[in-house]
Amino acid sequence: MRIEGDSILIRDFTEDDLPLMLKWLTDDRVLEFYEGRDVRFTMETLAAHYLEEIPSGFRMIIEYRGQLIGYGQVYQLSGELFDEYDYPDNGNVVYAMDLFIGEPDYWNHGIGTAFLQMMAAYLKTSKGADRILLDPRKSNGRAIRAYQKAGFSIVKSLPAHELHEGKEEDCWLMERVLSQNPIPRI
């Protein structure tokens, strides 16, 4: 997969990206918002997790003007994932996404918003997606604002949805509707 925009390139995550992930996921500024500062990664733990195939999904690296700055993953909802989000399985093609900008110097530049808009267009045209979901912690105001700028709306609260730094954190379920033609359940 390769998606190119004016300043952003989205490409497949590879094993060669593991040292960069280690840099990002050992930076407390990043861990405060992704995974948690109490999580300790090594090359072995990263390889075990990030090289594992995502069923009906993929992992990606975000480049901005030639600089590797972030990570994302996308997966299609099925079965128990609909239950986890308490989201209706009514025949729509629904994807969920996680992402972070690992280079703090690139925070607050609109890159996350632009990335999400590019991914929404890609998922709609290439994967037939009707909806995309995100589940940010309620305390992550910067991410929530970026998601809203990218067309996502808060659908509902997900109480105690994510374990972060030893505490069950409340999250928002956010949705971007890509298709106004929901498939009715039969």
Side-chain angles (χ1 to χ4, degrees):
M1 183 253 325
R2 186 176 178 91
I3 306 166
E4 294 187 49
D6 291 335
S7 302
I8 297 174
L9 169 71
I10 304 166
R11 64 159 175 84
D12 288 322
F13 180 89
T14 70
E15 187 171 353
D16 292 339
D17 297 313
L18 287 175
L20 186 59
M21 287 293 283
L22 184 63
K23 174 188 174 224
W24 292 337
L25 294 179
T26 55
D27 184 332
D28 281 346
R29 297 169 298 171
V30 175
L31 290 171
E32 179 181 354
F33 300 102
Y34 192 85
E35 297 291 348
R37 293 168 287 198
D38 58 341
V39 178
R40 297 293 170 237
F41 288 99
T42 65
M43 285 298 282
E44 293 76 25
T45 59
L46 286 173
H49 179 74
Y50 289 97
L51 297 180
E52 179 181 70
E53 186 177 324
I54 300 175
S56 299
F58 52 93
R59 300 178 196 281
M60 66 206 97
I61 289 291
I62 305 162
E63 293 185 26
Y64 179 72
R65 297 185 176 161
Q67 297 294 316
L68 306 176
I69 64 156
Y71 168 81
Q73 60 187 26
V74 172
Y75 48 93
Q76 187 173 355
L77 256 62
S78 63
E80 73 280 350
L81 289 173
F82 281 101
D83 296 337
E84 180 181 329
Y85 291 114
D86 190 26
Y87 192 84
D89 182 2
N90 61 5
N92 284 308
V93 178
V94 181
Y95 280 83
M97 188 181 317
D98 300 304
L99 67 136
F100 67 84
I101 303 297
E103 297 291 338
D105 290 345
Y106 290 89
W107 291 353
N108 300 312
H109 288 82
I111 300 166
T113 298
F115 164 78
L116 287 167
Q117 291 168 333
M118 290 172 68
M119 284 308 302
Y122 173 80
L123 290 172
K124 181 177 182 179
T125 59
S126 297
K127 303 292 184 181
D130 298 306
R131 309 272 192 281
I132 303 172
L133 302 178
L134 297 165
D135 62 347
R137 285 189 325 283
K138 289 183 178 183
S139 61
N140 194 346
R142 181 176 52 240
I144 293 164
R145 286 186 300 279
Y147 302 161
Q148 288 172 323
K149 288 178 186 175
F152 286 80
S153 301
I154 294 173
V155 175
K156 66 179 172 181
S157 179
L158 298 171
H161 182 70
E162 180 180 317
L163 181 62
H164 185 79
E165 299 183 350
K167 181 181 173 198
E168 294 288 336
E169 296 273 348
D170 295 344
C171 295
W172 289 118
L173 181 64
M174 298 184 75
E175 170 190 64
R176 178 160 174 190
V177 176
L178 303 174
S179 170
Q180 295 295 335
N181 301 314
I183 301 169
R185 179 178 271 164
I186 298 174

